[in-house]
Amino acid sequence: MKINESGRVSGIANPYKLQQEMRAEQFGTKRRKDEVQISPEAKEMLQSSQLNQAERSKHIEQLKQSVASGTYHVEAGKIAEKLLPYLRS
């Protein structure tokens, strides 16, 4: 028994692909390609987040050091103010 190559489809054409090719030939159109457009606002947000990344990482390192040394102080009043709206609803 002979086994054909695994990547080869023997004589069966893809009807969907053939239909697309025929339509493209009829209308003289080329295949469209996907395109992505990024808004200026999104570009600005990306730039500002990248600029703030260094400052943010510095702040996080300071917080880690203060927690590790035991000098970090938690303000219970601020936590309560933030939790209160969720507890009321």
Side-chain angles (χ1 to χ4, degrees):
M1 179 166 149
K2 182 178 180 183
I3 299 176
N4 293 336
E5 298 172 17
S6 62
R8 186 174 167 205
V9 178
S10 59
I12 300 174
N14 184 347
Y16 180 72
K17 186 175 179 182
L18 291 174
Q19 186 179 19
Q20 280 184 329
E21 289 173 358
M22 287 184 357
R23 283 188 182 169
E25 288 175 7
Q26 281 179 338
F27 297 111
T29 58
K30 294 182 179 180
R31 269 185 98 175
R32 293 186 300 176
K33 295 184 179 182
D34 293 337
E35 185 177 304
V36 175
Q37 293 181 356
I38 301 174
S39 68
E41 291 86 7
K43 289 179 183 177
E44 184 179 333
M45 287 174 57
L46 180 62
Q47 285 179 339
S48 66
S49 69
Q50 288 175 346
L51 292 175
N52 293 335
Q53 187 66 24
E55 183 179 314
R56 181 174 171 80
S57 62
K58 183 179 177 182
H59 181 68
I60 290 172
E61 282 301 316
Q62 289 175 348
L63 287 174
K64 285 181 182 179
Q65 289 175 358
S66 62
V67 168
S69 66
T71 59
Y72 182 71
H73 175 70
V74 178
E75 296 184 32
K78 285 187 177 182
I79 294 174
E81 286 177 12
K82 296 290 183 175
L83 287 176
L84 193 58
Y86 295 108
L87 297 175
R88 285 186 179 167
S89 58

